[in-house]
């Protein structure tokens, strides 16, 4: 990197040090902590509301995490050395890498569990793996833009889950902690890859381009996975369950339409002056951390009984 580019980067990272400190609430920290999840024979196959369609939909999400999060860690590692002078962001990158590594490991437990129950999560994982070298062959800054954008989508997921206790209550108690834990940590580290992208590039055009690619991948992987699981599990197809699931996604009721309601959050990313912490939802972390501890203690005491 030439001298003028280095100076520009230093100036950007100094600004960013102030920016990150100013926007992220002091109560939020990014500390990796494994969950230690276990699923046994008593766990139902359709762990979301006893609904096969919605369980398959959410399992498709779960299948994306190991490869997806490993790609995001790879992107952060590509640029971490460039921002080493920004101590706050560098520390956050370390926390981000640790948290995402744990998420991948824990989601593999759900994914392997579903394979044992006859749902071909491994086929979806193989499909996703096929795309990874192509994305890693893209310009490095494009990869960083995709990662920054993907984190907006996972932050959306975290906010949607924790803001709607009805969703959490629909998850079987054995599977519930992983979704709550993951949602909390996605909110905690929601600005890290955005700040890193802004420090190393920051171009609005590249940000939007990365967002389009991240959205396209997410849509294709989740749609393909859900369709694949539904087809292979067709003997358990339920018309009323699928209709209920579609209402859950797009319905007009107070306790439905969760995907439809996420549209404004999706559009936020197009704002010129967007920053993840302009929407301070740290109250969700404060509310749900103790609740997560309670859930884990309950599972532990049941296992000991
Ligand atoms: Fe994650
Ligand atoms: Fe994340």
């Amino acid at each position: 990197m030439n001298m003028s580019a280095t100076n520009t980067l230093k100036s950007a990272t100094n600004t960013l040090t102030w920016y990150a400190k100013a926007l992220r609430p002091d109560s939020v920290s990014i500390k990796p902590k494994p969950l230690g999840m276990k699923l046994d024979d008593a766990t139902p196959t359709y762990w979301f509301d006893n609904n096969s369609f919605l369980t398959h939909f959410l399992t498709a999400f779960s299948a994306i995490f190991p490869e997806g999060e490993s790609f995001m860690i790879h992107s952060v590692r590509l640029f971490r050395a460039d921002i080493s002078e920004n101590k706050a962001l560098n520390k956050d990158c370390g926390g981000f890498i640790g948290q995402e590594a744990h998420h991948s490991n824990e989601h593999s437990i759900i994914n392997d569990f579903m394979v044992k129950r006859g749902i071909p999560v491994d086929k979806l994982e193989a499909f996703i793996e096929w795309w990874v070298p192509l994305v890693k062959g893209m310009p490095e800054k494009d990869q960083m833009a995709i990662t920054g954008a993907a984190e907006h989508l996972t932050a959306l997921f975290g906010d949607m889950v924790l803001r709607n206790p009805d969703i959490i209550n629909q998850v079987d108690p054995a599977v519930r902690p992983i979704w709550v834990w993951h949602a909390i940590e996605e909110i905690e580290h929601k600005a890290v890859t955005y700040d890193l992208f802004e420090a190393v590039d920051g171009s609005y055009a590249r940000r939007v381009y990365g967002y389009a690619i991240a959205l396209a991948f997410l849509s294709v992987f989740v749609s393909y996975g859900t369709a694949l699981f539904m087809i292979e599990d067709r003997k358990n197809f339920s018309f009323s369950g699928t209709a209920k699931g579609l209402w859950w996604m797009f319905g007009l009721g107070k306790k439905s339409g969760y995907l439809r309601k996420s549209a404004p959050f999706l559009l936020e990313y197009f704002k010129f002056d967007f920053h993840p912490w302009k929407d301070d939802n740290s109250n969700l972390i404060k509310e749900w951390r103790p609740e997560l501890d309670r859930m884990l203690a309950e599972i532990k005491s049941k296992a000991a009984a």
Side-chain angles (χ1 to χ4, degrees), residues 69 72 96 100 103 151 154 182 185-186 189:
E69 293 181 322
M72 293 197 273
F96 171 87
E100 295 295 26
H103 299 169
E151 279 296 304
T154 52
H182 198 168
E185 296 199 350
E186 286 307 322
H189 70 228

Side-chain angles (χ1 to χ4, degrees), residues 28-217:
V28 178
S29 58
I30 305 170
K31 289 187 186 131
K33 199 176 163 209
L35 185 69
M37 180 175 171
K38 286 190 182 82
L39 296 177
D40 58 23
D41 292 346
T43 307
T45 303
Y46 304 131
W47 44 263
F48 190 87
D49 202 28
N50 198 28
N51 183 303
S52 61
F53 173 67
L54 286 175
T55 302
H56 293 331
F57 172 71
L58 291 166
T59 300
F61 267 99
S62 181
I64 297 171
F65 287 126
E67 275 300 333
E69 293 181 322
S70 148
F71 165 72
M72 293 197 273
I73 290 171
H74 151 86
S75 300
V76 168
R77 285 187 173 141
L78 286 176
F79 290 101
R80 196 175 172 191
D82 292 347
I83 54 88
S84 57
E85 290 201 7
N86 182 336
K87 299 269 186 289
L89 183 55
N90 193 27
K91 190 177 169 214
D92 286 353
C93 286
F96 171 87
I97 290 170
Q99 286 191 331
E100 295 295 26
H102 287 311
H103 299 169
S104 292
N105 292 339
E106 302 283 349
H107 274 278
S108 294
I109 295 170
I110 294 190
N111 302 342
D112 295 346
F113 166 81
M114 293 303 277
V115 170
K116 277 188 205 147
R117 294 292 171 94
I119 308 302
V121 179
D122 46 345
K123 284 190 189 168
L124 175 58
E125 288 176 320
F127 178 71
I128 295 166
E129 271 169 39
W130 186 86
W131 285 93
V132 172
L134 294 177
V135 181
K136 285 187 176 171
M138 293 172 77
E140 291 182 349
K141 285 186 176 177
D142 289 358
Q143 295 182 50
M144 195 60 240
I146 294 168
T147 296
E151 279 296 304
H152 180 61
L153 301 174
T154 52
L156 181 158
F157 139 77
D159 189 273
M160 183 180 87
V161 168
L162 300 185
R163 210 171 278 285
N164 295 285
D166 294 319
I167 296 179
I168 293 167
N169 291 332
Q170 285 173 300
V171 184
D172 181 84
V175 186
R176 200 174 287 164
I178 188 171
W179 292 100
V180 172
W181 167 78
H182 198 168
I184 290 171
E185 296 199 350
E186 286 307 322
I187 294 175
E188 285 174 345
H189 70 228
K190 67 177 179 171
V192 177
T193 56
Y194 182 85
D195 285 344
L196 184 55
F197 171 71
E198 287 293 301
V200 299
D201 185 84
S203 130
Y204 179 77
R206 201 190 297 268
R207 185 193 343 149
V208 171
Y209 170 65
Y211 196 40
I213 293 177
L215 271 170
F217 275 123

